[in-house]
Amino acid sequence: MERSKLILLGAGPGDPDLISVKGVKALKQADVVLYDTLSHPALLDYAPSTAEKIYVGKKAGSCQNSQEKINNLIVQKANEGNCIVRLKGGDPFIFGRGHEELTYARDHDIPVEVIPGISSCTSIGELQTIPLTKRGINESFWVTTGVTRNGGVSEDIELAAKTTATVAILMGMRNLPKITAIFEKHGKAETPAAVIQQGSLPEEKIALGTVETIVHEVDKHGLTNPALILIGDVVKLHPEFKNPNNVEHLMDTFLAKSAL
């Protein structure tokens, strides 16, 4: 029982080379690895050949791997004296239910360690040379889910659409038309937008446009989940963005507004 432990490990945005050194060390000591859909299968090779590797990914409309079942599996494997690595795509505390699993484990007296991962919300745009913040263009960025538990659009998107912040939206492809309608309602039809599918992986795809055109661009390029939605003037900095205003103009506009 001395080895009984849960390690919540962020697998990063997709590319297996983007996992942390500490994360690799954790996998090498695992007795059990519980991995989800968005964690790259190559990461399992770091675990010992004797380690038990269990897929616990969730799929829409399926209760095969409900959160309750995953929580119970963690406790079961810990009670057997195992070091468990819960390998989660991105970062375990950003829309990853990592804290729910931490709380459940601690309630059952299981020690927990957290190893952060590189989140897709910050890295996918960066890998496409789109900064979330740019001096002279914007002063903040928002990260929000694109779908609520009941399938609707988060009220936070309505708030974000009223700002000049870059908005990074995860799990929003199903609601993309509703999301763009919210931004258009707040006068953001011409705001640049990007959708990046399978970011950081060889099969990565990107659609570039504006709030008004991005749904059409997504359909034209055949993009689907998993994908990140980015909305904001910084998207114009992508080298393939068509007919962008130059950076100097954006900075001048920003500074003029700031002076008011």
Short mmCIF file of all heavy atoms in Angstrom, two decimals, residues 174-201:
data_model
loop_
_atom_site.label_atom_id
_atom_site.label_comp_id
_atom_site.label_asym_id
_atom_site.label_seq_id
_atom_site.Cartn_x
_atom_site.Cartn_y
_atom_site.Cartn_z
N ARG A 174 -19.75 22.42 -32.08
CA ARG A 174 -21.18 22.16 -32.24
C ARG A 174 -21.99 23.44 -32.22
O ARG A 174 -23.03 23.58 -32.90
CB ARG A 174 -21.66 21.22 -31.14
CG ARG A 174 -23.11 20.77 -31.27
CD ARG A 174 -23.63 20.16 -30.00
NE ARG A 174 -22.71 19.20 -29.41
CZ ARG A 174 -22.89 18.64 -28.21
NH1 ARG A 174 -23.94 18.98 -27.47
NH2 ARG A 174 -22.02 17.79 -27.73
N ASN A 175 -21.53 24.41 -31.44
CA ASN A 175 -22.26 25.67 -31.27
C ASN A 175 -21.64 26.84 -32.04
O ASN A 175 -21.97 27.99 -31.76
CB ASN A 175 -22.34 26.03 -29.79
CG ASN A 175 -23.33 25.18 -29.03
OD1 ASN A 175 -24.31 24.70 -29.60
ND2 ASN A 175 -23.09 24.97 -27.75
N LEU A 176 -20.75 26.54 -32.99
CA LEU A 176 -20.06 27.63 -33.69
C LEU A 176 -21.02 28.64 -34.31
O LEU A 176 -20.80 29.86 -34.17
CB LEU A 176 -19.11 27.06 -34.74
CG LEU A 176 -18.26 28.09 -35.50
CD1 LEU A 176 -17.40 28.92 -34.54
CD2 LEU A 176 -17.37 27.38 -36.53
N PRO A 177 -22.09 28.24 -35.01
CA PRO A 177 -23.01 29.25 -35.55
C PRO A 177 -23.64 30.13 -34.47
O PRO A 177 -23.80 31.35 -34.65
CB PRO A 177 -24.07 28.41 -36.27
CG PRO A 177 -23.37 27.13 -36.62
CD PRO A 177 -22.45 26.88 -35.46
N LYS A 178 -23.98 29.54 -33.32
CA LYS A 178 -24.56 30.31 -32.22
C LYS A 178 -23.53 31.27 -31.63
O LYS A 178 -23.85 32.41 -31.27
CB LYS A 178 -25.09 29.38 -31.13
CG LYS A 178 -26.26 28.51 -31.55
CD LYS A 178 -26.69 27.60 -30.42
CE LYS A 178 -27.83 26.69 -30.84
NZ LYS A 178 -28.25 25.78 -29.74
N ILE A 179 -22.28 30.80 -31.54
CA ILE A 179 -21.22 31.64 -30.98
C ILE A 179 -20.96 32.84 -31.88
O ILE A 179 -20.86 33.98 -31.39
CB ILE A 179 -19.93 30.80 -30.79
CG1 ILE A 179 -20.13 29.77 -29.68
CG2 ILE A 179 -18.74 31.70 -30.48
CD1 ILE A 179 -19.05 28.72 -29.60
N THR A 180 -20.85 32.60 -33.17
CA THR A 180 -20.60 33.73 -34.09
C THR A 180 -21.78 34.70 -34.10
O THR A 180 -21.58 35.91 -34.22
CB THR A 180 -20.31 33.23 -35.50
OG1 THR A 180 -21.39 32.40 -35.96
CG2 THR A 180 -19.03 32.42 -35.55
N ALA A 181 -22.99 34.18 -33.94
CA ALA A 181 -24.16 35.07 -33.90
C ALA A 181 -24.08 36.02 -32.70
O ALA A 181 -24.48 37.19 -32.79
CB ALA A 181 -25.44 34.24 -33.84
N ILE A 182 -23.57 35.53 -31.58
CA ILE A 182 -23.42 36.37 -30.40
C ILE A 182 -22.42 37.49 -30.66
O ILE A 182 -22.66 38.67 -30.34
CB ILE A 182 -22.97 35.52 -29.19
CG1 ILE A 182 -24.10 34.59 -28.75
CG2 ILE A 182 -22.53 36.41 -28.02
CD1 ILE A 182 -23.70 33.56 -27.71
N PHE A 183 -21.29 37.16 -31.28
CA PHE A 183 -20.29 38.19 -31.58
C PHE A 183 -20.82 39.19 -32.61
O PHE A 183 -20.56 40.39 -32.51
CB PHE A 183 -19.00 37.53 -32.08
CG PHE A 183 -18.11 37.04 -30.98
CD1 PHE A 183 -18.32 35.80 -30.40
CD2 PHE A 183 -17.06 37.82 -30.50
CE1 PHE A 183 -17.52 35.33 -29.37
CE2 PHE A 183 -16.24 37.37 -29.48
CZ PHE A 183 -16.47 36.12 -28.91
N GLU A 184 -21.57 38.72 -33.59
CA GLU A 184 -22.15 39.63 -34.59
C GLU A 184 -23.13 40.59 -33.93
O GLU A 184 -23.20 41.77 -34.28
CB GLU A 184 -22.83 38.83 -35.69
CG GLU A 184 -21.86 38.11 -36.62
CD GLU A 184 -22.55 37.47 -37.81
OE1 GLU A 184 -23.19 38.20 -38.58
OE2 GLU A 184 -22.46 36.24 -37.95
N LYS A 185 -23.89 40.07 -32.97
CA LYS A 185 -24.86 40.91 -32.26
C LYS A 185 -24.17 42.08 -31.56
O LYS A 185 -24.75 43.16 -31.41
CB LYS A 185 -25.61 40.06 -31.24
CG LYS A 185 -26.69 40.82 -30.48
CD LYS A 185 -27.43 39.91 -29.52
CE LYS A 185 -26.57 39.50 -28.34
NZ LYS A 185 -27.33 38.72 -27.32
N HIS A 186 -22.92 41.88 -31.17
CA HIS A 186 -22.17 42.93 -30.49
C HIS A 186 -21.22 43.67 -31.42
O HIS A 186 -20.23 44.26 -30.98
CB HIS A 186 -21.39 42.32 -29.31
CG HIS A 186 -22.28 41.84 -28.20
ND1 HIS A 186 -22.92 42.71 -27.34
CD2 HIS A 186 -22.67 40.59 -27.84
CE1 HIS A 186 -23.65 42.00 -26.47
NE2 HIS A 186 -23.51 40.72 -26.76
N GLY A 187 -21.54 43.65 -32.72
CA GLY A 187 -20.80 44.44 -33.70
C GLY A 187 -19.44 43.89 -34.07
O GLY A 187 -18.57 44.64 -34.52
N LYS A 188 -19.24 42.58 -33.90
CA LYS A 188 -17.93 41.98 -34.15
C LYS A 188 -17.89 41.13 -35.43
O LYS A 188 -17.04 40.24 -35.56
CB LYS A 188 -17.54 41.09 -32.97
CG LYS A 188 -17.46 41.84 -31.63
CD LYS A 188 -16.28 42.80 -31.62
CE LYS A 188 -16.14 43.47 -30.25
NZ LYS A 188 -15.77 42.52 -29.19
N ALA A 189 -18.75 41.43 -36.40
CA ALA A 189 -18.81 40.61 -37.60
C ALA A 189 -17.48 40.57 -38.35
O ALA A 189 -17.12 39.56 -38.95
CB ALA A 189 -19.91 41.11 -38.54
N GLU A 190 -16.74 41.69 -38.32
CA GLU A 190 -15.48 41.77 -39.06
C GLU A 190 -14.27 41.36 -38.21
O GLU A 190 -13.13 41.41 -38.69
CB GLU A 190 -15.28 43.20 -39.57
CG GLU A 190 -16.34 43.65 -40.58
CD GLU A 190 -16.40 42.74 -41.79
OE1 GLU A 190 -15.31 42.38 -42.30
OE2 GLU A 190 -17.51 42.39 -42.22
N THR A 191 -14.49 40.96 -36.99
CA THR A 191 -13.38 40.54 -36.14
C THR A 191 -12.76 39.25 -36.67
O THR A 191 -13.48 38.31 -37.00
CB THR A 191 -13.86 40.33 -34.70
OG1 THR A 191 -14.40 41.57 -34.20
CG2 THR A 191 -12.73 39.87 -33.80
N PRO A 192 -11.45 39.18 -36.78
CA PRO A 192 -10.79 37.97 -37.29
C PRO A 192 -11.07 36.76 -36.41
O PRO A 192 -11.23 36.87 -35.18
CB PRO A 192 -9.31 38.33 -37.26
CG PRO A 192 -9.28 39.82 -37.32
CD PRO A 192 -10.49 40.27 -36.55
N ALA A 193 -11.12 35.60 -37.04
CA ALA A 193 -11.39 34.36 -36.32
C ALA A 193 -10.61 33.22 -36.96
O ALA A 193 -10.35 33.22 -38.16
CB ALA A 193 -12.89 34.05 -36.33
N ALA A 194 -10.25 32.26 -36.15
CA ALA A 194 -9.55 31.06 -36.62
C ALA A 194 -10.12 29.84 -35.92
O ALA A 194 -10.51 29.91 -34.76
CB ALA A 194 -8.05 31.16 -36.36
N VAL A 195 -10.16 28.75 -36.64
CA VAL A 195 -10.50 27.45 -36.05
C VAL A 195 -9.37 26.50 -36.40
O VAL A 195 -9.01 26.35 -37.57
CB VAL A 195 -11.85 26.92 -36.57
CG1 VAL A 195 -12.09 25.50 -36.05
CG2 VAL A 195 -12.99 27.84 -36.14
N ILE A 196 -8.81 25.86 -35.39
CA ILE A 196 -7.66 24.98 -35.58
C ILE A 196 -8.02 23.58 -35.07
O ILE A 196 -8.31 23.40 -33.90
CB ILE A 196 -6.42 25.51 -34.83
CG1 ILE A 196 -6.14 26.97 -35.23
CG2 ILE A 196 -5.20 24.64 -35.14
CD1 ILE A 196 -5.18 27.68 -34.31
N GLN A 197 -8.00 22.63 -35.98
CA GLN A 197 -8.34 21.24 -35.65
C GLN A 197 -7.07 20.41 -35.49
O GLN A 197 -6.11 20.57 -36.22
CB GLN A 197 -9.20 20.63 -36.76
CG GLN A 197 -9.54 19.16 -36.57
CD GLN A 197 -10.22 18.57 -37.78
OE1 GLN A 197 -11.00 19.23 -38.44
NE2 GLN A 197 -9.93 17.31 -38.08
N GLN A 198 -7.07 19.51 -34.50
CA GLN A 198 -5.95 18.60 -34.26
C GLN A 198 -4.63 19.38 -34.11
O GLN A 198 -3.59 18.99 -34.64
CB GLN A 198 -5.82 17.57 -35.40
CG GLN A 198 -7.02 16.67 -35.57
CD GLN A 198 -7.04 15.54 -34.56
OE1 GLN A 198 -6.31 15.54 -33.58
NE2 GLN A 198 -7.90 14.57 -34.77
N GLY A 199 -4.70 20.49 -33.40
CA GLY A 199 -3.53 21.34 -33.25
C GLY A 199 -2.33 20.61 -32.67
O GLY A 199 -2.48 19.77 -31.78
N SER A 200 -1.16 20.92 -33.21
CA SER A 200 0.15 20.38 -32.82
C SER A 200 0.44 19.01 -33.44
O SER A 200 1.54 18.49 -33.29
CB SER A 200 0.32 20.29 -31.29
OG SER A 200 -0.29 19.14 -30.74
N LEU A 201 -0.52 18.42 -34.13
CA LEU A 201 -0.34 17.11 -34.74
C LEU A 201 -0.11 17.22 -36.25
O LEU A 201 -0.48 18.24 -36.86
CB LEU A 201 -1.55 16.23 -34.46
CG LEU A 201 -1.80 15.89 -32.99
CD1 LEU A 201 -3.14 15.21 -32.81
CD2 LEU A 201 -0.67 15.02 -32.45
#
